[in-house]
Amino acid sequence: MKVKVVTRILEANERLAEENKKRFKEAGLFVINLMGAPGAGKTTLLEKTIQKLKGKAKLGVIEGDIAGSDDAERINAAGVPVVQINTGGACHLDANMISGVLGELPLKDMNMLIIENVGNLVCPAEFKVGENIKAMVLSITEGHDKPLKYPLMFQESKALVLNKIDLVPYTNVDIEKIKKDALSLNPEIKIFEVSCSTGEGIDLWAEWLNGQRSK
Amino acid sequence: MHEVSIALSIMDIIVKKCREESCNKIDSVRLKIGKAAGVMPDALLFAFDNIKTDTIAKDAEMIIDIIPLGGTCNSCKRDFDTEEAYVLECPKCGSADFVINKGNEMEIIDMEVS
Ligand SMILES: [Zn+2]
């Protein structure tokens, strides 16, 4: 017997993401889903962003990792509430994992939540978690072919943070090509050139992020 | 690698639907996957074959219809299809002013149950 199904496969995740979103809105929380490859510098950017936004925004963090809690310890040391999700092998966070840990954060004392997704350029872009915006970190050492190889994440992100620009003189990477391809895929994407080691560009990024909160 | 999560979601949906129809065996399931959906069909088939053992879908065949990426150009007003996973310009006139209207699908169309 043939049975019509006609169902979006990720519908269950999207429904849960909507529930998360409602909960975030009620708590007055602005939520960022921060994505990028392993080693792009997501956690370091997060530490620098926390320093810059001290006294300006009330932050909390969810750290997603396949295993381990090193990143959460680093964020904890930076003085903001943090919970760790170990996906135990899964390459992305999904809405259900996020709703499972919300009770462990002091949502009432926060107005911004940054979710650091699992290091991966593909899968996190596919699963909504209830965020207001997605942002991605790409280190210039990953090469200038990334936008066209992994278009979905560039298309989904509202901001692209190009990290490690202090290393440009030591590589043959074509930054203009990265920017051009990213903008072709997503004309609205906001691009920040930063260096987490010299601190260059962090101000602009942190201010922009904080400004998104009131939108 | 998110194909495993996607295969698990598919399994949840089809098992529930099969029970609703008072059936207890799934023989096949047909999907529509867009070229730009970020899913590798081979990885999805592999994942499904590995999670289906010990379920009512253990003999089920997964059939995937691949939908090309396509859109309509606002400049030349023509529709286009492409085998690429992204479009940077209208393949017919080169304009950057176009809308994508297919190629992001990730849906279950129907299934055969008994
Ligand atoms: Zn055209």
Side-chain angles (χ1 to χ4, degrees), chain A residues 1-10 90-92 120 122-123 126-127 148-149 151-152 155 181 184-185, chain B residues 1-2 5-6 9-10 13 17 21 23 31 33 36-38 86 88 106-113:
Chain A
M1 174 172 87
K2 186 167 256 182
V3 177
K4 283 237 170 286
V5 185
V6 203
T7 306
R8 289 173 44 77
I9 293 168
L10 296 183
C91 47
H92 58 267
N120 181 335
V122 186
C123 317
E126 195 77 62
F127 292 81
L148 298 188
K149 270 193 178 158
L152 187 65
Q155 286 164 331
D181 288 345
S184 316
L185 290 166
Chain B
M1 265 305 290
H2 61 311
S5 308
I6 292 169
S9 302
I10 293 170
I13 295 166
K17 190 82 186 172
E21 299 291 331
C23 292
L31 313 178
I33 303 283
Y86 52 86
L88 300 182
M106 203 197 288
E107 289 166 20
I108 304 172
I109 306 168
D110 55 25
M111 58 187 191
E112 208 51 69
V113 294

Side-chain angles (χ1 to χ4, degrees), chain B residues 73-78 80 90-95 97:
Chain B
C73 177
N74 289 326
S75 299
C76 69
K77 309 288 177 205
R78 284 180 287 190
F80 60 82
C90 167
K92 302 208 160 145
C93 75
S95 162
D97 183 15

Side-chain angles (χ1 to χ4, degrees), chain A residues 75-150:
Chain A
I75 299 305
N76 200 20
V80 302
V82 56
V83 289
Q84 173 89 33
I85 297 176
N86 281 135
T87 61
C91 47
H92 58 267
L93 295 174
D94 64 28
N96 189 39
M97 297 178 198
I98 298 295
S99 77
V101 300
L102 285 182
E104 293 171 45
L105 282 170
L107 300 186
K108 285 206 182 78
D109 305 326
M110 294 160 41
N111 55 22
M112 193 190 281
L113 168 65
I114 304 183
I115 299 171
E116 184 184 334
N117 218 310
V118 179
N120 181 335
L121 271 181
V122 186
C123 317
E126 195 77 62
F127 292 81
K128 293 190 179 83
V129 294
E131 68 275 54
N132 294 92
I133 66 166
K134 292 186 172 83
M136 69 174 291
V137 188
L138 181 79
S139 65
I140 58 111
T141 52
E142 290 170 64
H144 47 241
D145 57 346
K146 291 299 169 291
L148 298 188
K149 270 193 178 158
Y150 303 99

